Structure formats: structure tokens, C-alpha cells
């Protein structure tokens, strides 16, 4: 058997005060059409990164509205996750080699996991490239409808990787992508669902945390509450550009010497590259003690992330590639204007000049950071607009509705 992820309970009714009864009623109506459906989500990790973040809320909510939903994770060791991390980068367009040996490793682990996979399901949702070979190696038995859910930006993939993965991907009955333009060349799905990710407003990270409470948590990490703080929350990953954030911070510091920077990131189990890039980030920070590089080994968990997002003066997500950027959604939900890289799913969320600023360079990032630091009222106005934008479009209830719609469509 594949490992089952243990989950707490969630109730759709608890979301009604946030999203309104129109939204929850609509969900219940659609759920009625797929009542008792057996659903399993399969991905690579139960901890760290956006996919785990979504499933931890989505699966319990699917249960609450009457489906038999589960979440399972595939097995892998560093040799597999090194290949899948390279694949993630290659599929997002990085120039990299994809050797025959790497392909063999990916196939072997998918074969092994396919043997471990058991049970009977109406809907099997396979997330991202790591387990994309399960259907091929397992065969269709056990699943009526196989769905592939892509969370990454595959609009301009490195063909070496894309051509290898497309036959496996195309075997699925339906595809879900974050944006239309992410559906890479040669991939055809009918139905194809365009579903941007969402956040759970009731998770420990996103529930409202009183400012003084959040501040005392930051003080515990050594942050000086009397001085301004810029924060980026993200994995230590080249596409998240923590090095660019440090460079932008240094430019801001030339104008506002008391400014501090926090780079907050968890070390995910499927991301061996993270440690290497963490070292690189620390070297760029050098001996500047106003830069705080913090991760789960320091005691950063979901709640602490929420505290940093609540109590920082400016939140940045300076990615150079970004499938969607849940951290941006989280930051906007905290009522903060966000400075985001003008890439991938970030422009869906950061409406330039309204819910924050989109930037294309280190200079631009420094300039807009300075502007928000020096103009708390503007920051606040943008944050309020951002929170409403998220409420309408990027909360977990919308995600649940979109999945139920796809299931209902497939079931017909
Ligand atoms: N995250 C976290 N702790 C950290 C860093 C990140 O819990 O130290 C979470 C973050 O809050 C967000 C998710 O991991 O919910 C990252 O999702 P995103 O879409 O921004 O990026 P990904 O890591 O999936 O590329």
C-alpha cells in the first residue's frame, strides 16, 4: 500500500461566515451529484510546498460534503527526488540534461509505487510529474477516471523533459492546469480544467492572528520590533530568487539603514536541492546580522509563517518562475500589498498598482519595497483590495467547487 496521509476533520459550514451562503450552497448542490464517490489524491510529499498545503484542507472538505476522499504519497529516496527536482526545473524550462540513467530511476520508482498502489476509486488525481507514471505502470484497474493535476508552469518546457513526460501525462482522462497557457505543446485533454490554486482561510497560517501575538513570535526569532521588516516566505530555490531579494534589500538598506530582512522557508522532503541553495543564500547574506534566514529547523511551522506574514512591514515574492505562488495569496489575505515577480500565476493575484506591485528586476523590487515601506497607508489600501480579491477568487471553497464540477462532468 502507498502511505496514507492522516488528516484532521474540516466542515464546510465553518467557511460560510467568510465566503457567504451562496458559495456553500452551490458546493452542496454539486456534491450531491457525486455523493459517495471514492477519490484518492496522490502526490510526492505530505509536507512542504504548495501541493501539500492544498490537500491538507481540500481532502477533509471533500469528505465533509459526502465523498470518500483520501490522500496518499508515493515512496522515494534522494536518488528519485534528485531526478524529480531536476524534472521540475526542466519542465519549467531550465536548460539541463536528462540522462538515460535519470529516466530509468524515475521509471523504476514509478513502477515500484504502481505495485504498491491498491484499492478501487472513482477518481484518482495524480499531482505533478513525480507520480505521473502510475497509470502507465499500474494499468487502469482500480480507477474509473484518472486525472493529472499540474501545479507547475509548463508553458515553455525544456523539450528533453517534456517529450519524455507527455506520453505518460496524455494517458490520463482529464487534466487540470493552473492557467491555460501552462498546457504545454502536444498535451491534449478533454475535459481540461483550468483551476488556479487556493488557500485555506481557517488554517493555522491563514486564520487571523492578532498583531501583538504575531509580533511576540517574531521577537522570539530575534527580530527588532522597533525597526522595519521585509519578508519573503519560500523554499530555498533558484526560481524563488532569494539572492535577488537580498540584493534588493541591500539597495533599500542604503536608504533606510535600520531595515531588516527575513527569508523564511521550509525544507521540503522532496527537495534535496534546498540545502545547497540555502548555503548559497547564506553566503550572499554574509555577515549582515539584519538578515534572518529561518526554516523549520529553527522552529518555523505554519503558524510562524502566518506570524511573519501578519507582522512584517513589506512582503515580497520575487520569483522568476512561479506556477501560482500560494505565498502571494497568503500574504494578500493578511491584508498586505505584495511585491511580486511579474511571472507565472503572480499577476493573477498582484494587480499592479492595486493589490501590490509587479516587478521585473532587482532595482524595481528595491524601488517598490521602499515605496511601500515609506507609505503605510498605501500598503494598507492595497492590502485590503488584495484581501477582497483573494476572498472572491482564491479560497479553498472555490477549489472544492471546481473539483466537484470536474468529477460531476466525468461521471456523466
Ligand atoms: N511554506 C511554509 N513554510 C515555509 C515556507 C513555505 O509553510 O517555511 C508554505 C507557504 O506558506 C506556501 C507553500 O509552502 O503555502 C509554498 O507554496 P507556493 O505555491 O508559494 O510555492 P511552491 O513551494 O509550491 O513552489
Amino acid at each position: 500500500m502507498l502511505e496514507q496521509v492522516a488528516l484532521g476533520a474540516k466542515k464546510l459550514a465553518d467557511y460560510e461566515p467568510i465566503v457567504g451562503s451562496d458559495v456553500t450552497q452551490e458546493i452542496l448542490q454539486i456534491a450531491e451529484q457525486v455523493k459517495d464517490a471514492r477519490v484518492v489524491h496522490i502526490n510526492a510529499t505530505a509536507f512542504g510546498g504548495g501541493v501539500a498545503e492544498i490537500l491538507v484542507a481540500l481532502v477533509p472538505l471533500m469528505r465533509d460534503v459526502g465523498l470518500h476522499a483520501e490522500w496518499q504519497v508515493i515512496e522515494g529516496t534522494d536518488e528519485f527526488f534528485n531526478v524529480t527536482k531536476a524534472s521540475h526545473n526542466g519542465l519549467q524550462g531550465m536548460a539541463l540534461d536528462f540522462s538515460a540513467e535519470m529516466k530509468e530511476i524515475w521509471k523504476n520508482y514509478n513502477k515500484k509505487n504502481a505495485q504498491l498502489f491498491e484499492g478501487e476509486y472513482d477518481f484518482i488525481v495524480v499531482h505533478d510529474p513525480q507520480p505521473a507514471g502510475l497509470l502507465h505502470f499500474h494499468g487502469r484497474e482500480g480507477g474509473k477516471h484518472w486525472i493529472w493535476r499540474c501545479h507547475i508552469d509548463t508553458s515553455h518546457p525544456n523539450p528533453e523533459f517534456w517529450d519524455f513526460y507527455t506520453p505518460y501525462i496524455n494517458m490520463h482522462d482529464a487534466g487540470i492546469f493552473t492557467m491555460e497557457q501552462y498546457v504545454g505543446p502536444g498535451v491534449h485533454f478533454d475535459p481540461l480544467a483550468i483551476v488556479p490554486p487556493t488557500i485555506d482561510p481557517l488554517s493555522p497560517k491563514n486564520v487571523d492572528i492578532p498583531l501583538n501575538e504575531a509580533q511576540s513570535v517574531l521577537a522570539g526569532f530575534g527580530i527588532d520590533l522597533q525597526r522595519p521588516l521585509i519578508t519573503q516566505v519560500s523554499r530555498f530555490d533558484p526560481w524563488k530568487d532569494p539572492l535577488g531579494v537580498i540584493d534588493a534589500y541591500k539597495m533599500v538598506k542604503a536608504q533606510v539603514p535600520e531595515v531588516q530582512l527575513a527569508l523564511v522557508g521550509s525544507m521540503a522532503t522532496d527537495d534535496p536541492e534546498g540545502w545547497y541553495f540555502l548555503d548559497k543564500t547564506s553566503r550572499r547574506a554574509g555577515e549582515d546580522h539584519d538578515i534572518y534566514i529561518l526554516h523549520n529547523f529553527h522552529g518555523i511551522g505554519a503558524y510562524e509563517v502566518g506570524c511573519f506574514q501578519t507582522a512584517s512591514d513589506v512582503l515580497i515574492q520575487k520569483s522568476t518562475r512561479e506556477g501560482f505562488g500560494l505565498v502571494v495569496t497568503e500574504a494578500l489575505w493578511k491584508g498586505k500589498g505584495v511585491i511580486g515577480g511579474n511571472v507565472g500565476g503572480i499577476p493573477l493575484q498582484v494587480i499592479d498598482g492595486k493589490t501590490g506591485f509587479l516587478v521585473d528586476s532587482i532595482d524595481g523590487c528595491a524601488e517598490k519595497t521602499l515605496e511601500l515601506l515609506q507609505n503605510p497607508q498605501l500598503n494598507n489600501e492595497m492590502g485590503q483590495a488584495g484581501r477582497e480579491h483573494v476572498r472572491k477568487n482564491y479560497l479553498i471553497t472555490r477549489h472544492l467547487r471546481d473539483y466537484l464540477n470536474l468529477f460531476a462532468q466525468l461521471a456523466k
Side-chain angles (χ1 to χ4, degrees), residues 89-400:
N89 288 333
L91 290 169
Q92 294 213 116
M94 200 184 264
L96 282 174
D97 280 339
F98 195 19
S99 68
E101 190 195 341
M102 290 163 81
K103 291 174 188 166
E104 238 9 75
I105 291 172
W106 182 85
K107 285 189 207 166
N108 285 338
Y109 278 86
N110 268 270
K111 219 176 277 174
K112 193 172 139 200
N113 280 296
Q115 282 162 5
L116 291 172
F117 179 60
E118 292 175 356
E120 292 275 333
Y121 299 93
D122 297 294
F123 304 101
I124 298 176
V125 188
V126 177
H127 293 258
D128 277 341
Q130 298 95 330
L134 283 187
L135 170 54
H136 171 80
F137 292 110
H138 179 81
R140 301 193 61 90
E141 73 270 20
K144 270 194 201 148
H145 305 282
W146 288 76
I147 301 164
W148 190 62
R149 199 319 177 201
C150 181
H151 293 269
I152 58 181
D153 174 355
T154 46
S155 50
H156 302 94
N158 173 338
E160 232 195 297
F161 288 84
W162 188 243
D163 295 347
F164 171 79
Y165 279 104
T166 40
Y168 296 104
I169 295 169
N170 270 332
M171 289 180 73
H172 294 77
D173 306 315
I176 308 178
F177 287 77
T178 294
M179 294 169 78
E180 195 93 49
Q181 55 267 46
Y182 287 2
V183 187
V187 160
H188 303 288
F189 284 115
D190 184 17
L192 164 71
I194 301 301
V195 179
T198 53
I199 58 166
D200 176 8
L202 295 181
S203 73
K205 181 183 298 174
N206 293 316
V207 75
D208 293 339
I209 303 171
L211 181 62
N212 59 353
E213 182 183 319
Q215 283 173 328
S216 72
V217 169
L218 267 55
F221 287 100
I223 306 292
D224 182 347
L225 300 177
Q226 307 308 317
R227 294 158 56 197
L229 175 67
I230 306 169
T231 295
Q232 171 161 300
V233 177
S234 67
R235 289 182 291 109
F236 293 95
D237 176 291
W239 306 107
K240 308 286 183 187
D241 200 19
L243 305 182
V245 175
I246 292 176
D247 294 347
Y249 149 86
K250 286 182 177 161
M251 294 171 80
V252 173
K253 202 169 184 63
Q255 311 274 329
V256 184
E258 64 276 18
V259 73
Q260 307 166 93
L261 171 67
L263 294 170
V264 177
S266 65
M267 309 307 296
T269 50
D270 66 340
D271 187 8
E273 194 189 14
W275 293 104
Y276 164 77
F277 212 74
L278 174 65
D279 288 346
K280 240 177 134 147
T281 307
S282 304
R283 277 197 295 276
R284 183 67 66 100
E287 289 297 319
D288 184 337
H289 292 270
D290 289 335
I291 302 180
Y292 295 81
I293 299 178
L294 301 168
H295 51 74
N296 43 316
F297 281 38
H298 298 98
I300 294 283
Y303 169 71
E304 288 74 17
V305 167
C307 291
F308 270 90
Q309 290 168 335
T310 302
S312 296
D313 298 281
V314 175
L315 294 169
I316 298 182
Q317 188 56 43
K318 204 203 153 303
S319 305
T320 53
R321 262 301 156 84
E322 189 63 76
F324 181 68
L326 281 174
V327 283
V328 174
T329 333
E330 293 160 5
L332 292 170
W333 184 244
K334 305 299 182 313
K336 305 269 158 147
V338 175
I339 295 171
N342 190 9
V343 293
I346 295 179
L348 291 175
Q349 308 183 66
V350 175
I351 302 163
D352 193 38
K354 191 171 168 227
T355 66
F357 292 112
L358 291 171
V359 296
D360 295 291
S361 65
I362 291 166
D363 285 3
C365 181
E367 184 196 319
K368 294 303 177 190
T369 302
L370 205 54
E371 186 170 341
L372 283 190
L373 264 185
Q374 292 172 335
N375 196 341
Q377 197 190 332
L378 176 67
N379 198 347
N380 190 32
E381 280 167 20
M382 287 182 153
Q384 290 318 310
R387 187 168 166 104
E388 284 317 303
H389 185 51
V390 171
R391 192 194 308 277
K392 285 205 192 85
N393 301 294
Y394 302 117
L395 294 184
I396 191 78
T397 36
R398 200 230 65 226
H399 213 152
L400 176 63

